[in-house]
Amino acid sequence: MAEAALVIDVEGLTKRFDDKVVVDRFALQVRQGQIYGFLGPNGSGKTTTIRMLCGLLTPDGGRGTCLGFDILRESARIKREVGYMTQRFSLYEDLSIAENLEFTGRIYGLADRRRRVDEALERLGLGKRRGQLAGTLSGGWKQRLALAACLLHDPRLLLLDEPTAGVDPGARREFWEHLHQLAHGGMTVLVSTHYMDEAERCHALAYIAYGKLLASGTAAEVVAGARLHTWAIEGEDLAAVAAELRGAPGADMIVPFGARLHVSGTDAETLASSVSAAAARRGLRATSVDPGLEDVFIHLMRHAPEPVTVAGRAEG
Amino acid sequence: MFAWSRFAAVVVKEFVQVRRDRLTFAMMIGMPVMQLVLFGFAINMDPKSLPMAVVAAESSPFSRSLVRSLEASGYFRVVAQPATAAGAEALMAEGDVQFVLHVPADFSRKIARGERPVVLVEADASDPAATGNALSAIQALNYSALDRDLAGPLAGLRSPAPAFELRVHRRYNPEGITAYNIVPGLMGVVLTMTMIMMTALAMTRERERGTMENLLATPVRPFEVMAGKIVPYILIGYVQVVVILVASQLLFRVPMVGSLALLSSILVLFIAANLAVGFTFSTLARNQLQAMQMTFFFFLPSMLLSGFMFPFRGMPGWAQAIGEVLPLTHFLRIVRGIMLKGNQWDDIALEVAALAAFLLAAGAVAMARYRETLD
C-alpha cells in the first residue's frame, strides 16, 4: 500500500528573534491522516514552528510546503485550509458562543453558514446555551468551542497548540477521541502537548528542545533511538537510595515515580552494577524495565545542546 | 481580493462588541452632550462686568460721568473705592479687582482749563484674553464720555467730530456670542477624541486579548479588517454629530446658515481621517495604555493648534504649519464656514481637499503598518 501523501513537508526551517535562534534548521514530515505529536519543554520553539507553518510568522530560513502550498509565498492559500487553535483562548470573550461561530463562518465565506453553525452547536451540545458569552465558559468548554470554530470550515489540517492545557482528564479523553475520529476521516493533526499519555496516543512524535529537533518517529522508535537503559527500584526509603545513586557511575538520570525510582543511563553495564550495588545495600529489589517516553524525553532534554545565540557579526 | 463576506464579518462583530460594551457606548453618546453643556455654557471669550476699583482724588460731576460711562459699557463693575493708590494696589495684587481707575485731584479744574488731564487705568493684564476687550472698550469711550457735561462755556472742549466715520459690521456673529464659535468646533473636537481613541483601543484590544492571533490565522485581508473596523465607528460618529447639532439648536440656538447635506457629506471624510489615525496608533501601541497615551499626544495639539481654543492667525508661522497638518484645523474652518457663514462647496473645496489628502496619507501609513504576521 502506498504511503499517504505528505501534508507537511518542511526542511531547514529557522526563526530568529533578535539574536536568539528560536527554531534552528527544523525539518518535519507529516502524512495525511496522522496525528503528529509535538513535544518539548517550554520555550523550545513549538509554538513558533506551528506559527510558521500557518503563515503567522515568516521563517528566516528554510523552505517547504504545507498542504502542497509553499509556506513562504502561499500563506493565504494555506490559511484557508488550516484550522489553527491557539494556546490561549483567542475567540472573542464578549461575543456569544453562536456569534463567535457565525463570525468564523463569515470570515471563511461559508455558503451554508447557518446550517454549519447550528450543526456545530448541536455537536457541542451547546444548542440551548448559544446566547451565552464565550468569556463565561469554563476552560473545558472554551476548548471545545475553540475546536468547533477551527473545524467549522472543514480544514484539511489541524494545528493545535497545547489544546488541553488546564483541561480536566475526562474532557481530555473526549477531546482525543474526537481527534482520532477526525484523523480517521482523513484529517491531519499536528498537536503540541506536555502530557505523556497524550504523546502515546499520537501516531508519530517529534521532540524539540532549544529550537532543535532531537528525536522523531513513533513512540517506540523514539524510545529505541535513545538507547537508554532503565532500572526500576521499589521499596522503602527511595529518597536515600536516590541520594546515594546521584553521581554514581552510569546513573545519568534518577527520576522518582511515586513508589518507584527510575534510574537510567546509556552505558548498560556500568549502570547495572551501580544500581544493583545500591539496591543490594538496602535489601531492595531492582529490575530492568523498558524506559518510558518520559524517561527518554528527560534524557533528551538533559543532553540537548545549550541554546544557541548567533551574533550577526560572526557571520560577516 | 476584497471579499464582502469577510468585511461584513468584521463589521457585524464590531457592532456587537460596541453594543455589548455599555459603558463605552454610554460614553460615546454622553461625552458630546457633557462637553457641549460644559464648554458651551462655561467658555466666554468676551468677559463682562469685570471688577474695578476707583481711586478718585476728587468727586465731581466729571469724575462721576467718567465712571458711569465706563460701567455703561458693560465691561466694568465698580466694587471698591479705596482712598489711596496703595489700597488699590493691594486689591489688584490679591486679585479682587482686575482694573483700577485713578482720577487725579485736579481733574475738573484741568478740564475746565482745557489742559487734558491724564486719567490712569491700570489693568491686571496677566491674562490678556480677560482684559483685551474691556480695554478696547475704554478707547472707544475716551472721547465722548464727558460730552454731556461739557455744556455752556465749556462746549468748545467737546471732542471734535473725526474727519471720517468708521463703521464696523460684525459679520456672521454680530453679538460676538462665544458659543457660536465653540459649539460647532466642539463637534470636531469630540469626533477627534472619540474616533481616534475608539479605533486605537479596538485594535490594540485584539492584540492584548490574543484574539489577533486567531484573526491573523484566518484568510481575512488587512483592508477588510481596517474597513470593517472603521465602518461601525463612522456610524457612531454620525450619532454624535446628530446629538451635538440637536443640542446646539435647543441649548445655544447656534444658526445653521449653510447646507446640512454638505456638512454631512464632508463629515464622512473627517471621521474616516481620524479613524485612520487611530488605526495607525493601534499598529504602534503595544497595549491599551499606550494607545490612550498616543491618542492624547495627538489630541492636545489638535485642540490647541487648530484654532479651536485660540485664534489660528495669532500663532507663529511654524505653529500654523503644524496646525495645517491636523485634520481638525480644516474641519473647523469647514464646519464654522457652513454653519455660521453659509459657505458653499466652492468656498471650502480647498479645506476638503486637505482633509482628503490627510485621509489618504494616514490610511496608507495604517495599511503599511498593519502586519499580516506576528513578526
Coordinates of all heavy atoms in Angstrom, one line a residue, chain A residues 15 17 47 51 54-60 76 79-80 82 84 86-96 99 102-110 131 133 150 161, chain B residues 1 4-14 16-21 205-221 224 229 372-375:
Chain A
K15 N 14.0 30.3 12.6 CA 13.4 31.6 13.0 C 14.3 32.2 14.1 O 14.6 31.5 15.1 CB 12.0 31.4 13.6 CG 11.3 32.6 14.0 CD 10.9 33.5 12.7 CE 10.4 34.8 13.1 NZ 10.2 35.6 11.9
F17 N 14.6 35.6 16.8 CA 14.0 36.8 17.3 C 15.2 37.6 17.8 O 15.9 37.1 18.8 CB 13.0 36.5 18.4 CG 11.8 35.9 17.9 CD1 11.3 34.7 18.4 CD2 11.0 36.6 16.9 CE1 10.1 34.2 18.0 CE2 9.9 36.0 16.5 CZ 9.4 34.8 17.0
T47 N 5.5 26.5 19.6 CA 4.6 27.5 19.1 C 5.1 28.2 17.9 O 4.3 28.4 16.9 CB 4.2 28.5 20.2 OG1 3.7 27.7 21.3 CG2 3.2 29.5 19.8
R51 N 3.4 28.4 14.2 CA 3.0 29.7 13.6 C 3.6 29.9 12.3 O 3.0 30.5 11.4 CB 3.4 30.8 14.6 CG 2.5 31.0 15.8 CD 3.0 32.1 16.7 NE 2.1 32.3 17.8 CZ 2.4 33.1 18.8 NH1 3.5 33.7 18.9 NH2 1.5 33.3 19.7
C54 N 1.6 28.0 9.6 CA 0.3 28.5 9.1 C 0.4 29.9 8.7 O -0.6 30.6 8.5 CB -0.8 28.3 10.2 SG -0.5 29.2 11.7
G55 N 1.6 30.4 8.5 CA 1.8 31.8 7.9 C 1.7 32.9 8.9 O 1.7 34.0 8.5
L56 N 1.7 32.6 10.2 CA 1.6 33.7 11.2 C 3.0 34.3 11.4 O 3.1 35.4 11.9 CB 1.1 33.2 12.5 CG -0.5 33.1 12.6 CD1 -0.9 32.6 13.9 CD2 -1.1 34.5 12.4
L57 N 4.0 33.6 11.2 CA 5.4 34.1 11.3 C 6.1 33.8 10.0 O 5.9 32.7 9.4 CB 6.1 33.5 12.5 CG 5.7 33.9 13.9 CD1 6.5 33.0 14.9 CD2 6.0 35.3 14.1
T58 N 7.0 34.7 9.6 CA 7.8 34.4 8.4 C 9.1 33.8 8.8 O 9.8 34.4 9.6 CB 8.1 35.8 7.7 OG1 6.9 36.6 7.8 CG2 8.4 35.5 6.2
P59 N 9.4 32.6 8.2 CA 10.7 32.0 8.6 C 11.8 32.8 8.1 O 11.7 33.4 7.0 CB 10.6 30.6 7.9 CG 9.2 30.5 7.4 CD 8.6 31.8 7.3
D60 N 13.0 32.8 8.8 CA 14.1 33.5 8.4 C 14.9 32.6 7.4 O 15.8 33.1 6.7 CB 15.0 33.8 9.6 CG 14.4 34.9 10.4 OD1 13.8 35.9 9.8 OD2 14.3 34.8 11.7
A76 N -1.6 32.7 2.2 CA -3.0 33.0 2.1 C -3.8 31.7 1.8 O -4.9 31.5 2.3 CB -3.3 34.1 1.0
K79 N -3.9 29.4 4.8 CA -4.8 29.8 5.9 C -6.2 29.4 5.6 O -7.0 29.1 6.6 CB -4.8 31.4 6.0 CG -3.6 31.9 6.7 CD -3.6 33.4 6.7 CE -2.3 34.0 7.4 NZ -2.3 35.5 7.3
R80 N -6.6 29.3 4.4 CA -8.0 28.9 4.1 C -8.3 27.4 4.4 O -9.4 27.0 4.6 CB -8.3 29.2 2.6 CG -9.3 30.3 2.4 CD -9.5 30.6 1.0 NE -8.4 31.4 0.5 CZ -8.1 31.6 -0.8 NH1 -8.9 31.0 -1.7 NH2 -7.1 32.3 -1.2
V82 N -6.5 25.5 6.7 CA -5.9 25.1 8.0 C -6.8 25.6 9.1 O -7.4 26.7 9.1 CB -4.5 25.7 8.2 CG1 -4.0 25.6 9.6 CG2 -3.5 25.0 7.3
Y84 N -6.5 26.5 13.0 CA -5.4 26.7 14.0 C -6.0 27.0 15.3 O -6.8 28.0 15.4 CB -4.5 27.8 13.5 CG -3.5 28.3 14.5 CD1 -2.7 27.4 15.2 CD2 -3.2 29.7 14.7 CE1 -1.8 27.9 16.2 CE2 -2.3 30.2 15.6 CZ -1.6 29.3 16.3 OH -0.6 29.7 17.2
T86 N -5.2 28.3 19.0 CA -4.1 28.9 19.7 C -4.0 28.4 21.1 O -4.9 27.8 21.6 CB -4.3 30.4 19.7 OG1 -5.6 30.6 20.3 CG2 -4.2 31.0 18.4
Q87 N -2.8 28.6 21.7 CA -2.6 28.1 23.0 C -3.5 28.8 24.0 O -4.1 28.1 24.9 CB -1.1 28.4 23.4 CG -0.6 27.7 24.6 CD 0.9 27.8 24.6 OE1 1.6 28.2 23.7 NE2 1.5 27.5 25.8
R88 N -3.6 30.1 23.8 CA -4.5 30.9 24.7 C -5.9 31.0 24.0 O -5.9 31.1 22.8 CB -3.9 32.2 24.8 CG -4.4 33.1 25.9 CD -3.5 34.3 26.0 NE -4.3 35.5 26.3 CZ -3.9 36.7 26.2 NH1 -2.7 37.0 25.6 NH2 -4.7 37.7 26.5
F89 N -7.0 31.0 24.7 CA -8.3 31.1 24.1 C -8.3 32.4 23.3 O -8.1 33.5 23.9 CB -9.3 31.1 25.2 CG -10.7 31.2 24.7 CD1 -11.3 30.1 24.0 CD2 -11.5 32.3 24.8 CE1 -12.6 30.2 23.5 CE2 -12.8 32.4 24.3 CZ -13.3 31.3 23.7
S90 N -8.6 32.3 22.0 CA -8.4 33.5 21.2 C -9.7 33.8 20.5 O -9.7 34.6 19.5 CB -7.3 33.4 20.3 OG -7.5 32.4 19.4
L91 N -10.8 33.3 20.9 CA -12.1 33.7 20.4 C -12.5 35.0 21.2 O -11.9 35.3 22.2 CB -13.2 32.6 20.4 CG -12.9 31.4 19.6 CD1 -13.9 30.4 19.8 CD2 -12.8 31.8 18.1
Y92 N -13.6 35.6 20.8 CA -14.0 36.8 21.4 C -14.8 36.5 22.7 O -15.9 36.0 22.6 CB -14.8 37.8 20.5 CG -13.9 38.2 19.3 CD1 -13.9 37.5 18.1 CD2 -13.0 39.2 19.5 CE1 -13.0 37.9 17.1 CE2 -12.1 39.6 18.5 CZ -12.2 38.9 17.3 OH -11.3 39.3 16.3
E93 N -14.3 36.9 23.8 CA -15.0 36.6 25.1 C -16.3 37.5 25.2 O -17.2 37.1 26.0 CB -14.1 36.9 26.3 CG -12.8 36.0 26.2 CD -12.2 35.7 27.5 OE1 -12.5 36.4 28.5 OE2 -11.5 34.7 27.6
D94 N -16.3 38.6 24.5 CA -17.5 39.4 24.6 C -18.5 39.1 23.5 O -19.5 39.9 23.3 CB -17.2 40.9 24.7 CG -16.2 41.3 23.6 OD1 -15.7 40.4 22.9 OD2 -16.0 42.5 23.4
L95 N -18.3 38.1 22.8 CA -19.3 37.6 21.8 C -19.9 36.3 22.4 O -19.2 35.6 23.1 CB -18.7 37.3 20.5 CG -18.2 38.5 19.6 CD1 -17.9 38.0 18.2 CD2 -19.1 39.7 19.6
S96 N -21.1 36.0 22.0 CA -21.7 34.8 22.5 C -21.1 33.6 21.7 O -20.4 33.8 20.7 CB -23.2 34.8 22.3 OG -23.5 34.7 20.9
E99 N -22.4 33.7 18.2 CA -21.8 34.9 17.5 C -20.3 34.6 17.1 O -19.9 34.9 16.0 CB -21.8 36.1 18.3 CG -23.2 36.8 18.3 CD -23.4 37.7 19.5 OE1 -22.5 37.8 20.4 OE2 -24.5 38.4 19.6
E102 N -20.6 32.2 14.2 CA -21.1 33.0 13.0 C -19.9 33.8 12.4 O -19.8 33.9 11.2 CB -22.2 34.0 13.4 CG -23.4 33.3 13.9 CD -24.5 33.1 12.8 OE1 -24.3 33.8 11.8 OE2 -25.4 32.3 13.0
F103 N -19.2 34.5 13.3 CA -18.0 35.3 12.8 C -17.1 34.4 12.0 O -16.6 34.8 10.9 CB -17.4 35.9 14.0 CG -16.1 36.7 13.7 CD1 -16.1 37.9 13.0 CD2 -14.9 36.2 14.0 CE1 -15.0 38.5 12.6 CE2 -13.7 36.8 13.7 CZ -13.7 38.0 13.0
T104 N -16.7 33.3 12.6 CA -15.8 32.4 11.9 C -16.3 32.0 10.5 O -15.6 32.0 9.5 CB -15.5 31.2 12.8 OG1 -15.1 31.6 14.1 CG2 -14.3 30.4 12.2
G105 N -17.6 31.6 10.5 CA -18.2 31.2 9.3 C -18.2 32.3 8.2 O -17.9 32.0 7.1
R106 N -18.4 33.6 8.6 CA -18.4 34.7 7.7 C -17.0 34.9 7.2 O -16.7 35.1 6.0 CB -18.9 36.0 8.3 CG -20.4 36.0 8.4 CD -20.8 37.5 8.6 NE -22.3 37.5 8.8 CZ -22.8 37.5 10.0 NH1 -22.0 37.4 11.1 NH2 -24.1 37.5 10.2
I107 N -16.0 34.8 8.1 CA -14.6 35.1 7.7 C -14.1 34.1 6.7 O -13.4 34.4 5.7 CB -13.7 35.0 9.0 CG1 -13.8 36.2 9.8 CG2 -12.2 34.8 8.6 CD1 -13.1 37.4 9.3
Y108 N -14.6 32.8 6.8 CA -14.2 31.8 5.8 C -15.2 31.8 4.6 O -15.0 31.0 3.7 CB -14.1 30.4 6.4 CG -12.9 30.3 7.3 CD1 -13.0 30.4 8.7 CD2 -11.7 30.0 6.7 CE1 -11.8 30.3 9.4 CE2 -10.5 29.9 7.5 CZ -10.6 30.0 8.9 OH -9.5 29.9 9.6
G109 N -16.1 32.7 4.6 CA -17.1 32.8 3.5 C -17.9 31.5 3.2 O -18.1 31.1 2.1
L110 N -18.3 30.9 4.3 CA -19.1 29.6 4.1 C -20.5 29.9 3.6 O -21.2 30.7 4.2 CB -19.1 28.9 5.5 CG -17.8 28.6 6.1 CD1 -18.0 27.9 7.4 CD2 -16.9 27.7 5.2
G131 N -26.6 31.6 23.2 CA -26.5 33.0 23.5 C -25.6 33.4 24.6 O -25.4 34.6 24.9
L133 N -22.2 34.2 26.7 CA -21.0 34.8 26.3 C -19.8 33.8 26.4 O -19.7 33.1 27.4 CB -20.7 36.1 27.1 CG -21.6 37.3 27.0 CD1 -21.1 38.5 27.7 CD2 -21.8 37.6 25.5
C150 N -12.5 26.0 14.9 CA -11.4 25.6 14.0 C -11.9 24.7 12.9 O -11.4 24.6 11.8 CB -10.3 24.8 14.7 SG -9.3 25.8 15.7
D161 N -2.2 24.0 19.4 CA -1.1 24.4 20.2 C -1.5 24.2 21.7 O -2.2 25.0 22.2 CB -0.7 25.9 19.9 CG 0.7 26.2 20.5 OD1 1.3 25.3 21.1 OD2 1.1 27.4 20.4
Chain B
M1 N -9.0 41.2 -4.3 CA -9.2 40.1 -3.4 C -10.1 40.5 -2.2 O -10.1 39.8 -1.2 CB -7.8 39.6 -2.9 CG -7.0 38.8 -3.8 SD -7.2 37.0 -3.5 CE -6.4 36.9 -1.9
W4 N -16.7 40.6 0.4 CA -17.7 41.3 1.2 C -18.0 40.5 2.4 O -18.3 41.0 3.5 CB -19.0 41.5 0.4 CG -18.9 42.7 -0.5 CD1 -18.6 42.7 -1.9 CD2 -18.9 44.0 -0.1 NE1 -18.5 44.0 -2.3 CE2 -18.7 44.8 -1.3 CE3 -19.2 44.7 1.1 CZ2 -18.8 46.2 -1.2 CZ3 -19.2 46.0 1.1 CH2 -19.0 46.8 0.0
S5 N -18.0 39.2 2.3 CA -18.4 38.3 3.5 C -17.4 38.6 4.6 O -17.8 38.7 5.8 CB -18.5 36.9 3.1 OG -17.2 36.3 3.0
R6 N -16.1 38.7 4.3 CA -15.1 38.8 5.4 C -15.2 40.3 6.0 O -15.2 40.4 7.2 CB -13.7 38.6 4.8 CG -13.5 37.2 4.4 CD -12.0 36.9 4.2 NE -11.4 37.6 3.2 CZ -11.1 37.1 2.0 NH1 -11.3 35.8 1.8 NH2 -10.5 37.8 1.0
F7 N -15.5 41.2 5.1 CA -15.7 42.6 5.5 C -16.9 42.7 6.5 O -16.9 43.2 7.5 CB -15.8 43.5 4.3 CG -16.4 44.9 4.6 CD1 -15.7 45.8 5.2 CD2 -17.7 45.2 4.2 CE1 -16.2 47.1 5.5 CE2 -18.2 46.4 4.5 CZ -17.5 47.4 5.1
A8 N -18.0 42.0 6.0 CA -19.2 42.0 6.8 C -19.0 41.3 8.1 O -19.5 41.8 9.2 CB -20.3 41.3 6.0
A9 N -18.2 40.3 8.1 CA -17.9 39.6 9.4 C -17.3 40.5 10.4 O -17.8 40.5 11.6 CB -17.0 38.4 9.1
V10 N -16.4 41.3 10.0 CA -15.7 42.2 10.9 C -16.7 43.3 11.4 O -16.8 43.7 12.5 CB -14.4 42.9 10.2 CG1 -13.8 43.8 11.2 CG2 -13.5 41.8 9.8
V11 N -17.5 43.8 10.4 CA -18.4 44.9 10.8 C -19.4 44.4 11.8 O -19.6 45.0 12.8 CB -19.2 45.4 9.5 CG1 -20.3 46.3 9.9 CG2 -18.3 46.1 8.5
V12 N -20.0 43.2 11.5 CA -21.0 42.7 12.5 C -20.4 42.5 13.8 O -21.0 42.8 14.9 CB -21.6 41.4 11.9 CG1 -22.5 40.7 13.0 CG2 -22.4 41.6 10.6
K13 N -19.2 41.9 13.8 CA -18.5 41.6 15.1 C -18.3 42.9 15.9 O -18.6 43.0 17.1 CB -17.2 40.9 14.8 CG -16.3 40.8 16.1 CD -14.9 40.3 15.7 CE -14.0 41.5 15.4 NZ -13.5 42.2 16.5
E14 N -17.8 44.0 15.2 CA -17.5 45.2 15.9 C -18.8 45.8 16.5 O -18.8 46.3 17.6 CB -16.9 46.2 14.9 CG -15.5 45.9 14.5 CD -14.5 46.0 15.7 OE1 -14.6 46.9 16.5 OE2 -13.6 45.1 15.8
V16 N -21.5 44.3 17.4 CA -22.0 43.5 18.6 C -21.1 43.9 19.8 O -21.6 44.1 20.9 CB -21.9 42.0 18.3 CG1 -22.2 41.2 19.6 CG2 -22.8 41.6 17.2
Q17 N -19.8 44.0 19.5 CA -18.9 44.3 20.7 C -19.1 45.7 21.2 O -19.1 45.9 22.4 CB -17.4 44.2 20.2 CG -17.0 42.7 20.0 CD -15.5 42.6 19.7 OE1 -15.0 43.3 18.8 NE2 -14.8 41.7 20.4
V18 N -19.3 46.7 20.3 CA -19.6 48.0 20.8 C -20.9 48.1 21.6 O -21.0 48.7 22.7 CB -19.7 49.0 19.6 CG1 -20.2 50.4 20.1 CG2 -18.3 49.2 18.9
R19 N -21.9 47.4 21.1 CA -23.2 47.4 21.7 C -23.1 46.7 23.1 O -23.8 47.2 24.1 CB -24.2 46.6 20.9 CG -25.7 46.9 21.2 CD -26.5 45.9 20.5 NE -26.3 44.5 21.0 CZ -26.5 43.4 20.3 NH1 -27.0 43.5 19.1 NH2 -26.2 42.2 20.8
R20 N -22.3 45.7 23.2 CA -22.2 45.0 24.5 C -21.4 45.8 25.5 O -21.6 45.6 26.7 CB -21.5 43.6 24.2 CG -22.0 42.6 25.1 CD -22.0 41.2 24.5 NE -23.2 40.9 23.8 CZ -23.3 40.0 22.9 NH1 -22.3 39.3 22.5 NH2 -24.5 39.8 22.3
D21 N -20.5 46.6 25.1 CA -19.7 47.4 26.0 C -20.5 48.7 26.4 O -20.3 49.7 25.9 CB -18.4 47.8 25.3 CG -17.4 48.4 26.3 OD1 -17.7 48.6 27.4 OD2 -16.2 48.6 25.8
R205 N -6.9 46.2 21.6 CA -7.5 45.2 22.5 C -7.4 43.8 21.8 O -7.2 42.8 22.5 CB -9.0 45.6 22.6 CG -9.7 44.9 23.7 CD -10.9 45.7 24.2 NE -11.7 46.2 23.1 CZ -12.3 47.4 23.1 NH1 -12.1 48.2 24.1 NH2 -13.0 47.8 22.1
E206 N -7.5 43.7 20.5 CA -7.4 42.4 19.8 C -6.0 41.8 20.1 O -5.9 40.6 20.4 CB -7.6 42.6 18.3 CG -8.9 43.1 17.9 CD -9.7 42.0 17.2 OE1 -9.3 40.9 17.2 OE2 -10.8 42.3 16.7
R207 N -5.0 42.7 20.1 CA -3.7 42.2 20.3 C -3.5 41.8 21.8 O -3.0 40.7 22.1 CB -2.6 43.2 19.9 CG -1.4 42.5 19.5 CD -0.4 43.5 18.8 NE -1.1 44.1 17.6 CZ -1.1 45.4 17.4 NH1 -0.6 46.2 18.3 NH2 -1.7 45.9 16.4
E208 N -4.0 42.6 22.7 CA -3.8 42.4 24.1 C -4.6 41.1 24.5 O -4.1 40.3 25.4 CB -4.4 43.6 24.9 CG -3.4 44.0 25.9 CD -3.9 45.3 26.6 OE1 -4.7 45.2 27.6 OE2 -3.5 46.4 26.2
R209 N -5.8 40.9 24.0 CA -6.5 39.7 24.4 C -6.2 38.4 23.7 O -6.7 37.4 23.9 CB -8.0 40.0 24.2 CG -8.5 41.1 25.2 CD -10.0 41.2 25.0 NE -10.5 42.3 25.8 CZ -11.8 42.8 25.8 NH1 -12.6 42.3 24.9 NH2 -12.2 43.7 26.5
G210 N -5.3 38.6 22.7 CA -4.8 37.4 22.0 C -5.7 37.0 20.8 O -5.5 36.0 20.1
T211 N -6.8 37.8 20.6 CA -7.7 37.4 19.5 C -7.1 37.8 18.2 O -7.5 37.3 17.1 CB -9.0 38.2 19.7 OG1 -8.8 39.5 19.8 CG2 -9.8 37.7 20.9
M212 N -6.1 38.6 18.2 CA -5.4 39.0 16.9 C -4.8 37.8 16.3 O -4.8 37.6 15.1 CB -4.3 40.0 17.2 CG -3.9 40.8 16.1 SD -5.2 41.8 15.4 CE -4.5 42.3 13.9
E213 N -4.2 36.9 17.1 CA -3.6 35.7 16.6 C -4.6 34.9 15.8 O -4.3 34.4 14.7 CB -3.0 34.9 17.7 CG -2.1 33.8 17.3 CD -1.5 33.0 18.4 OE1 -1.6 33.4 19.6 OE2 -0.8 32.0 18.1
N214 N -5.8 34.7 16.4 CA -6.8 34.0 15.7 C -7.2 34.6 14.4 O -7.4 34.0 13.4 CB -8.0 33.8 16.7 CG -9.0 32.8 16.2 OD1 -8.6 31.8 15.7 ND2 -10.2 33.1 16.3
L215 N -7.4 36.0 14.5 CA -7.8 36.7 13.3 C -6.8 36.6 12.2 O -7.1 36.4 11.0 CB -8.0 38.2 13.7 CG -8.8 39.1 12.8 CD1 -10.2 38.6 12.6 CD2 -8.8 40.5 13.3
L216 N -5.5 36.7 12.6 CA -4.4 36.6 11.5 C -4.3 35.3 10.9 O -3.9 35.1 9.8 CB -3.1 37.0 12.2 CG -2.9 38.5 12.5 CD1 -1.6 38.7 13.2 CD2 -3.0 39.3 11.3
A217 N -4.8 34.2 11.7 CA -4.7 32.9 11.1 C -5.8 32.6 10.1 O -5.8 31.6 9.5 CB -4.7 31.9 12.3
T218 N -6.8 33.5 10.0 CA -7.9 33.3 9.1 C -7.5 34.0 7.8 O -6.6 34.8 7.7 CB -9.2 33.9 9.6 OG1 -9.1 35.3 9.6 CG2 -9.5 33.4 11.0
P219 N -8.3 33.8 6.7 CA -7.9 34.4 5.4 C -8.3 35.9 5.3 O -8.2 36.4 4.3 CB -8.8 33.6 4.4 CG -9.5 32.5 5.2 CD -9.4 32.8 6.6
V220 N -8.7 36.5 6.4 CA -9.1 37.9 6.3 C -7.9 38.8 5.9 O -6.8 38.6 6.3 CB -9.7 38.4 7.7 CG1 -8.7 38.6 8.7 CG2 -10.6 39.6 7.5
R221 N -8.2 39.8 5.0 CA -7.2 40.7 4.5 C -7.1 41.9 5.3 O -8.1 42.4 5.9 CB -7.5 41.0 3.0 CG -7.9 39.9 2.1 CD -6.7 39.0 1.8 NE -5.6 39.8 1.3 CZ -4.3 39.3 1.2 NH1 -4.0 38.1 1.7 NH2 -3.4 40.0 0.7
E224 N -9.8 44.5 4.7 CA -11.1 44.1 5.2 C -11.2 44.4 6.7 O -12.2 44.8 7.2 CB -11.3 42.6 4.9 CG -11.5 42.3 3.4 CD -11.1 40.9 3.0 OE1 -10.7 40.1 3.9 OE2 -11.2 40.6 1.9
K229 N -13.5 47.6 10.7 CA -13.4 48.2 12.0 C -13.8 49.7 11.9 O -14.2 50.3 12.9 CB -12.0 48.1 12.6 CG -11.8 46.7 13.1 CD -10.5 46.7 13.9 CE -10.4 45.4 14.7 NZ -11.2 45.3 15.9
E372 N 0.5 41.3 8.7 CA -0.4 40.1 8.5 C 0.2 38.9 9.3 O -0.3 37.9 9.3 CB -0.4 39.7 7.0 CG -1.6 40.4 6.3 CD -1.7 39.8 4.9 OE1 -1.0 40.3 4.0 OE2 -2.6 39.0 4.8
T373 N 1.4 39.2 9.9 CA 2.0 38.1 10.7 C 2.3 38.7 12.1 O 2.0 39.8 12.3 CB 3.4 37.7 10.1 OG1 4.2 38.8 10.0 CG2 3.2 37.2 8.7
L374 N 2.7 37.8 12.9 CA 3.0 38.2 14.3 C 4.5 38.7 14.4 O 4.9 38.9 15.5 CB 2.8 37.1 15.3 CG 1.3 36.7 15.4 CD1 1.2 35.3 16.2 CD2 0.5 37.7 16.1
D375 N 5.2 38.7 13.3 CA 6.6 39.0 13.4 C 6.9 40.3 14.1 O 6.2 41.3 13.9 CB 7.2 39.2 12.0 CG 7.4 37.8 11.3 OD1 8.3 37.1 11.8 OD2 6.6 37.5 10.4

